[in-house]
Amino acid sequence: MDSGTQPEGLQAAQPAGLQAAQPAGLQAAGKRKPPTTTEDPNDPQHIIHDFLTIVNKLEKEVDLPGAITRARTYDAEVDGLITADQPQTNLGRAESAPIPNAKPEGPDDHHIPKLQRNLRLLKEDVAKLQYLRSEVAEEVWKHIRPLELLLENVAKEQKKNPTKPPLTLGMKKDLDDINKKIFNLMCQVPLLPNKRKKAKGLDDDDGDGDNNNGKGIVCLPGIHANKADLRSRAVFRYVLREFEELSDQRKICLLTFAVFPENQEVNRTMLMYWWMGEGILSTKDISSQEGTEEVILKPEDVVKVILKDFTDRNLIEPVEIKRKVEPSSYKMAPFVHASVVLISKEIGLFDMYDIKDKPVMKKSGMHKVCLVEGSSSQQEAKAKKMEDVDHIETVFNVSERFPDFTFKWFSEDKPTRNKLTLSKVTYQKLKVFYLGRWERTAKRHIEVENPELMKNLKRMIKLKLLSFQGISRIERLDDAVCKLRDLIILDLRACYNLEKLPDKIDSLKALIYLDITDCYMIDRMPKRLSWLDNLEVLKGFVVSDATDEETVCTLAELVHLKKLRKLSISINKENFSIDDVFVAVKSFKKLEKLKVAWGGINTHPQGKGVDSEKGDENVKPKENIGILERAATMFRKEKDPTAPELPKTLKKLDLQCFPGEHLPEWLEPDNLLNVEKLYIKGGIKLTGFGKSLPSQNSKCKVTVLRLKFLPKLKVEWRDLSKRYFPELKFLEKYQCPQVSLCPCDGIGIWRKPEEDEV
């Protein structure tokens, strides 16, 4: 099968009609040369290429300067101007500066870049389809000969003994293996609408088939489609019985699984954020009785308890990963999921399915709106078509790629019941505005086409959760975000184009969770970040070379965050050593979890504070480090207020791309008296946990140890498990060739046998 040959479905969709519909002025320009012998005249790739050439020429004629600044992005999946068929121009940061005599960018300037981007994405999809055809042919061809041999063997067996079953156990196993491979291959083929079977008239879906620009949303009928059949099943009765035994709080928690696809992995942290935003999970610590002891549970612990309860009831399944000590994701089996979907729909909590049971965007009876693929093409996407917007409590993006139309629902142009009122329009019922990705993978591309719409955020005055996770083309947050005085969670994870946080971020007085992980364009933290008195979790704090003390927040200034208990840091500053980090954080009174990642420092010569406490610029030979210097180190620990030190409350330490050859003395295992989890991931220089092997077992309390990408780290299992980490219960070792004799399994995991634990 030739990869260049088009499928029948694509041949049927040839753009002959499209060419006939072209304006006369463009038809000549888009006319292609006669194809060569190796070129298919009906190949969509070539037609799209010609189409894109015309659009590029049109752009040059129109000469929109605004399009150049908007296309400035480092993400190849987002770039709407640079294509494989267009020479890449030198678009750097400097090109974001205003062009002299340039016309201001307006709403009409988006059309050409958007068309270019869509054409490029279409071209990539067609190429994938062509490759898929070739791959299918190759894979199916592999199984033709085995099937022929199987057929011959069946014929022989039948001749020998006609009374025996025609298929032996071995043959059945071979068929099962082939069937699995063919099924997996079938799953890779996208579901395309079968236009030849599309009926008109009574069977037409009320005209909704054209809502998505002619591209219908195809989905398989869910198990919940046949309500009578589902209700008659024992699994539904079981789920309903377990559901009725739950508290009101946990009932809502369980029903949130209805919005996710069946068997889809759902992350625990995302669920916690959502439940907090809905108000069904407290943001405060709660006390719980375990036997005779009273323990304090944080929200993260409460979520684990709830999910374990669901697991024990066989309502959800933990996603077991050997590299994880405990599961962090969960999924729901198909029949249980169908039961939960039906219960949720009847209660009125979530309603995503119409009569034909394909997912659509609808506002449920309890005022929840779930965005699904194609929602932006529905009539309800228009501000005037969505009814009772002022009653909406939740907007959650399940699968929509362009969710920014939802901002228009909450504009000040919305008519009010009392036309004589002079007060500004606000939306006080909205608590959750989750437009970003809920998946941990980046397979679903989401982008905001018009970031200016974010100004409508200022009217969501009671918002608790705001998530833009994984959304492209957001270069900065509108100052309207600072109006959200009740916001608890701000999730900006993986907003790759985000360059800056609001200067007045301290206006978010209630903020508890701030996640800016993987926002690589951010190079400094706003000064007022350290004024967020209620902040408990800060992920993605950047230490950079920025020197403007009046506008930049330093790591040491985070000491003012009295409630901070979890912190992750990205260091983009030369010679900012491990000593510098712990001099800054040693006074953090409640810090329990700390992650530190160095970026691009390993290639620099050893600077201060890696192997010595003081951190001299000139590296001393090892033989000159004697008794007097070690004695001086001891005195500095007692007297020097600038000496590094572990926070006394620290329980988990994660070091990534560690720049030194040894752990400093104050960080050696014998001094980890409270740390329970230690991760060291990356460090091409690290050779050991200290300068010498301890003469006796250390007092280290580490039970979980992860060592990754440490090519020079040299230690034997006997010393690792006895001298350095005597309390060890879990070890992960990966790409550490000189960590030897460890009783790990094939993927580098060791767990202490339960019978050996006291």
Side-chain angles (χ1 to χ4, degrees):
M1 185 180 299
D2 183 10
S3 61
T5 306
Q6 295 305 302
E8 292 182 3
L10 289 177
Q11 290 177 354
Q14 288 309 309
L18 176 65
Q19 292 175 352
Q22 286 178 339
L26 291 181
Q27 193 167 1
K31 191 173 181 180
R32 296 175 53 228
K33 298 179 180 179
T36 63
T37 55
T38 59
E39 186 178 284
D40 186 352
N42 294 324
D43 189 348
Q45 287 254 42
H46 303 297
I47 300 169
I48 296 171
H49 171 77
D50 292 346
F51 201 117
L52 188 57
T53 301
I54 299 172
V55 176
N56 292 337
K57 290 180 180 179
L58 179 62
E59 180 202 7
K60 292 180 180 178
E61 292 294 329
V62 178
D63 191 22
L64 293 177
I68 297 178
T69 59
R70 286 195 308 275
R72 175 175 55 81
T73 174
Y74 295 90
D75 186 357
E77 290 297 320
V78 183
D79 192 347
L81 292 180
I82 302 175
T83 69
D85 304 298
Q86 186 178 3
Q88 182 171 348
T89 55
N90 185 17
L91 297 180
R93 275 183 170 274
E95 293 192 354
S96 62
I99 299 176
N101 302 323
K103 187 177 72 173
E105 180 181 341
D108 294 335
D109 296 344
H110 288 277
H111 299 306
I112 293 178
K114 184 176 179 180
L115 180 57
Q116 288 174 313
R117 174 181 55 78
N118 290 338
L119 283 170
R120 180 181 57 78
L121 292 175
L122 178 61
K123 187 175 180 180
E124 292 176 358
D125 290 341
V126 170
K128 291 175 183 177
L129 282 175
Q130 292 174 330
Y131 175 76
L132 182 60
R133 293 190 73 224
S134 176
E135 187 179 8
V136 168
E138 183 179 350
E139 186 66 28
V140 173
W141 178 259
K142 292 179 182 178
H143 301 298
I144 289 180
R145 183 55 185 163
L147 278 176
E148 290 176 343
L149 293 175
L150 184 63
L151 181 61
E152 294 174 3
N153 291 334
V154 169
K156 291 178 181 178
E157 292 295 328
Q158 284 294 94
K159 287 182 179 180
K160 290 181 181 179
N161 191 349
T163 60
K164 283 188 177 181
L167 294 177
T168 64
L169 291 177
M171 293 177 181
K172 292 179 180 179
K173 184 179 183 304
D174 292 340
L175 283 174
D176 286 340
D177 292 340
I178 294 175
N179 186 41
K180 287 179 182 178
K181 292 179 181 178
I182 297 299
F183 180 78
N184 291 335
L185 200 62
M186 183 190 69
C187 292
Q188 297 181 38
V189 180
L191 292 173
L192 299 175
N194 192 342
K195 295 186 178 180
R196 289 175 293 183
K197 295 184 179 180
K198 182 179 179 182
K200 296 182 180 180
L202 294 176
D203 292 335
D204 195 13
D205 190 16
D206 297 328
D208 291 342
D210 294 329
N211 280 347
N212 199 20
N213 297 325
K215 182 182 178 182
I217 303 171
V218 181
C219 66
L220 297 176
I223 301 172
H224 50 271
N226 191 335
K227 297 180 182 179
D229 180 67
L230 180 59
R231 287 181 176 279
S232 66
R233 294 181 178 272
V235 63
F236 178 82
R237 296 193 296 271
Y238 174 81
V239 172
L240 184 61
R241 183 172 65 251
E242 295 294 328
F243 174 78
E244 291 173 345
E245 292 178 359
L246 297 173
S247 64
D248 291 342
Q249 174 209 37
R250 296 194 180 184
K251 284 180 180 178
I252 303 299
C253 291
L254 179 66
L255 294 181
T256 56
F257 280 86
V259 308
F260 307 110
E262 60 192 36
N263 274 329
Q264 184 69 45
E265 296 182 12
V266 182
N267 183 262
R268 184 179 65 224
T269 301
M270 185 278 301
L271 289 173
M272 181 187 71
Y273 285 168
W274 189 5
W275 296 347
M276 280 185 174
E278 295 284 358
I280 55 180
L281 179 65
S282 174
T283 60
K284 307 294 183 183
D285 296 349
I286 62 173
S287 60
S288 176
Q289 199 72 25
E290 288 189 3
T292 58
E293 296 183 359
E294 183 176 352
V295 296
I296 303 299
L297 298 179
K298 295 181 173 57
E300 292 87 344
D301 302 319
V302 176
V303 170
K304 292 179 183 179
V305 171
I306 295 174
L307 293 173
K308 186 178 186 306
D309 182 24
F310 294 165
T311 301
D312 293 342
R313 295 174 182 269
N314 294 318
L315 298 174
I316 61 175
E317 305 171 18
V319 179
E320 301 288 352
I321 301 177
K322 290 195 69 175
R323 294 188 181 277
K324 290 186 175 293
V325 178
E326 58 184 6
S328 60
S329 297
Y330 298 80
K331 61 183 180 180
M332 185 172 279
F335 277 98
V336 177
H337 179 265
S339 304
V340 170
V341 168
L342 183 56
I343 295 171
S344 173
K345 187 172 183 177
E346 293 183 345
I347 290 178
L349 183 62
F350 298 108
D351 189 1
M352 298 167 52
Y353 299 92
D354 67 359
I355 298 175
K356 293 188 177 181
D357 290 276
K358 73 175 183 180
V360 294
M361 176 184 65
K362 286 196 295 186
K363 183 163 66 69
S364 70
M366 294 187 179
H367 313 293
K368 315 288 185 184
V369 180
C370 292
L371 311 183
V372 297
E373 183 182 359
S375 294
S376 56
S377 301
Q378 292 182 215
Q379 289 295 320
E380 292 83 355
K382 299 177 181 179
K384 296 181 180 179
K385 296 293 183 179
M386 177 58 74
E387 298 180 355
D388 296 328
V389 172
D390 51 341
H391 287 93
I392 293 179
E393 297 181 358
T394 301
V395 176
F396 192 93
N397 185 2
V398 178
S399 55
E400 175 57 52
R401 293 180 59 190
F402 304 100
D404 53 350
F405 66 88
T406 54
F407 288 108
K408 299 178 183 178
W409 292 344
F410 305 100
S411 67
E412 62 183 350
D413 299 330
K414 188 71 177 177
T416 58
R417 293 187 179 90
N418 185 5
K419 296 183 179 180
L420 299 178
T421 182
L422 298 178
S423 60
K424 293 183 179 180
V425 177
T426 57
Y427 301 88
Q428 302 189 30
K429 297 292 182 68
L430 187 64
K431 299 177 183 177
V432 175
F433 199 56
Y434 201 110
L435 299 191
R437 277 199 313 261
W438 56 268
E439 309 96 325
R440 278 299 189 187
T441 60
K443 293 182 179 179
R444 179 164 59 109
H445 173 74
I446 310 176
E447 71 175 58
V448 170
E449 297 180 292
N450 188 2
E452 293 297 323
L453 291 174
M454 283 199 294
K455 63 185 180 182
N456 292 338
L457 287 170
K458 63 185 178 183
R459 298 179 185 89
M460 309 175 189
I461 59 175
K462 296 297 182 181
L463 199 65
K464 303 289 186 183
L465 166 59
L466 177 62
S467 175
F468 293 149
Q469 182 177 152
I471 298 182
S472 300
R473 295 189 64 179
I474 299 178
E475 295 187 358
R476 62 179 60 211
L477 292 182
D478 193 279
D479 290 339
V481 174
C482 299
K483 302 292 184 181
L484 307 178
R485 304 299 173 87
D486 290 345
L487 192 68
I488 296 172
I489 302 157
L490 179 57
D491 180 12
L492 304 173
R493 188 185 187 96
C495 289
Y496 300 119
N497 300 111
L498 186 63
E499 299 177 359
K500 189 176 184 295
L501 295 177
D503 291 331
K504 297 181 180 179
I505 195 171
D506 61 304
S507 299
L508 304 176
K509 298 295 184 182
L511 196 65
I512 298 176
Y513 296 85
L514 174 59
D515 191 350
I516 49 177
T517 307
D518 295 337
C519 294
Y520 302 115
M521 299 291 288
I522 296 180
D523 61 356
R524 62 187 63 198
M525 296 288 104
K527 187 73 171 181
R528 298 186 179 185
L529 181 64
S530 62
W531 299 3
L532 293 170
D533 295 335
N534 288 305
L535 196 65
E536 296 183 17
V537 176
L538 174 56
K539 299 179 181 179
F541 184 89
V542 176
V543 176
S544 68
D545 289 319
T547 57
D548 189 355
E549 296 182 358
E550 295 184 0
T551 60
V552 177
C553 178
T554 64
L555 180 60
E557 289 176 326
L558 295 184
V559 71
H560 300 298
L561 303 177
K562 302 298 184 183
K563 298 182 180 180
L564 189 66
R565 55 185 174 85
K566 187 173 182 178
L567 173 65
S568 69
I569 306 168
S570 178
I571 297 177
N572 300 327
K573 181 179 181 180
E574 289 188 24
N575 299 324
F576 197 87
S577 68
I578 186 74
D579 282 34
D580 296 320
V581 172
F582 282 91
V583 166
V585 305
K586 68 177 183 179
S587 299
F588 291 12
K589 300 299 183 184
K590 292 191 175 183
L591 189 63
E592 297 179 358
K593 298 181 180 181
L594 176 63
K595 177 193 287 187
V596 186
W598 284 266
I601 299 178
N602 284 339
T603 57
H604 293 286
Q606 180 176 328
K608 63 176 183 176
V610 176
D611 290 327
S612 63
E613 295 291 333
K614 186 66 177 177
D616 295 333
E617 293 295 335
N618 298 323
V619 181
K620 298 180 180 180
K622 290 186 178 180
E623 58 269 19
N624 292 335
I625 303 176
I627 298 176
L628 292 177
E629 184 172 350
R630 289 196 292 270
T633 300
M634 295 173 60
F635 282 107
R636 279 199 298 272
K637 283 184 179 179
E638 298 176 357
K639 298 181 179 181
D640 189 356
T642 63
E645 185 180 339
L646 285 172
K648 293 180 173 56
T649 54
L650 193 65
K651 296 181 180 179
K652 178 180 176 180
L653 177 60
D654 187 347
L655 304 176
Q656 299 185 5
C657 301
F658 184 75
E661 294 183 11
H662 302 280
L663 296 179
E665 184 177 346
W666 52 270
L667 195 54
E668 290 180 1
D670 198 39
N671 294 317
L672 302 180
L673 302 180
N674 299 312
V675 176
E676 298 172 358
K677 298 180 179 180
L678 176 63
Y679 304 167
I680 306 179
K681 305 174 184 177
I684 60 175
K685 295 181 180 180
L686 187 66
T687 60
F689 297 109
K691 295 179 181 178
S692 60
L693 183 68
S695 58
Q696 56 185 4
N697 294 352
S698 72
K699 303 174 184 177
C700 180
K701 299 300 181 183
V702 170
T703 58
V704 178
L705 177 65
R706 299 184 188 272
L707 305 174
K708 294 184 177 182
F709 306 106
L710 304 172
K712 294 185 179 180
L713 179 63
K714 188 173 183 179
V715 63
E716 292 185 359
W717 168 249
R718 177 181 56 188
D719 298 329
L720 186 72
S721 60
K722 301 297 183 182
R723 296 294 180 88
Y724 288 119
F725 306 103
E727 302 290 331
L728 195 63
K729 295 180 181 179
F730 178 94
L731 170 67
E732 179 184 7
K733 179 179 76 76
Y734 184 73
Q735 295 291 323
C736 301
Q738 299 191 64
V739 179
S740 58
L741 303 178
C742 297
C744 298
D745 61 14
I747 62 172
I749 300 297
W750 172 83
R751 296 175 186 268
K752 186 175 183 179
E754 294 183 3
E755 59 269 18
D756 293 344
E757 297 183 18
V758 179

